[in-house]
Amino acid sequence: MQTFTDKAVNIIKQIPPGKVMTYGQVAAAAGSPRAARQVTRILHSMSSKHNLPWHRIVNKQGEIALKDEGARTFQIEKLQEEGVELDRSNLIDLARFRFNFSD
DNA sequence: GCCATGGCTAGTA
DNA sequence: GCCATGGCTAGTA
């Protein structure tokens, strides 16, 4: 039986370039709709180890959640390279770029 | 803008 | 103890 973390990691790995998922979406897909916060922890501490596309996770509003200015800019650049568009407020249109995970 | 929620990794002993 | 959320309330206009 897979743990929540295992499932979440697998799901995150399946997000294709040019698409994004929200924290809550990943949590729900991993079987625990309220564990959005846990997803932040996974990304924070396991991204490099598991080579996760951490930049493809945004918050429910389609905003970049990172607080550090340099890291924000880095994430925005990575997304744009993949074809994700951000408006002048750096908002992502989730209707267009959300990856609808199903399995 | 506050705070309940969830599930555990990293790092020391 | 940590955390890069999310949802809901109180309080103002």
Side-chain angles (χ1 to χ4, degrees), chain A residues 22-48:
Chain A
T22 67
Y23 298 88
Q25 230 191 316
V26 173
S32 205
R34 317 207 136 209
R37 194 115 199 209
Q38 180 64 8
V39 174
T40 72
R41 232 193 101 274
I42 292 168
L43 293 177
H44 186 77
S45 61
M46 302 173 66
S47 281
S48 58

Side-chain angles (χ1 to χ4, degrees), chain A residues 16-20 55-56 76-86 92-93 96-97:
Chain A
K19 289 286 178 183
V20 299
H55 59 284
R56 307 211 262 253
I76 290 168
E77 283 172 0
K78 296 197 72 155
L79 287 171
Q80 287 175 334
E81 283 170 15
E82 298 182 349
V84 175
E85 296 170 22
L86 293 86
I92 294 165
D93 182 1
R96 292 179 59 198
F97 297 108

Side-chain angles (χ1 to χ4, degrees), chain A residues 11 14-29 56-63 79 83-85 91-102:
Chain A
I11 289 160
Q14 291 178 54
I15 308 172
K19 289 286 178 183
V20 299
M21 279 182 88
T22 67
Y23 298 88
Q25 230 191 316
V26 173
R56 307 211 262 253
I57 313 288
V58 298
N59 75 14
K60 192 138 191 188
Q61 282 68 242
E63 300 165 327
L79 287 171
V84 175
E85 296 170 22
L91 214 69
I92 294 165
D93 182 1
L94 290 179
R96 292 179 59 198
F97 297 108
R98 180 201 297 274
F99 175 55
N100 290 309
F101 183 87
S102 56

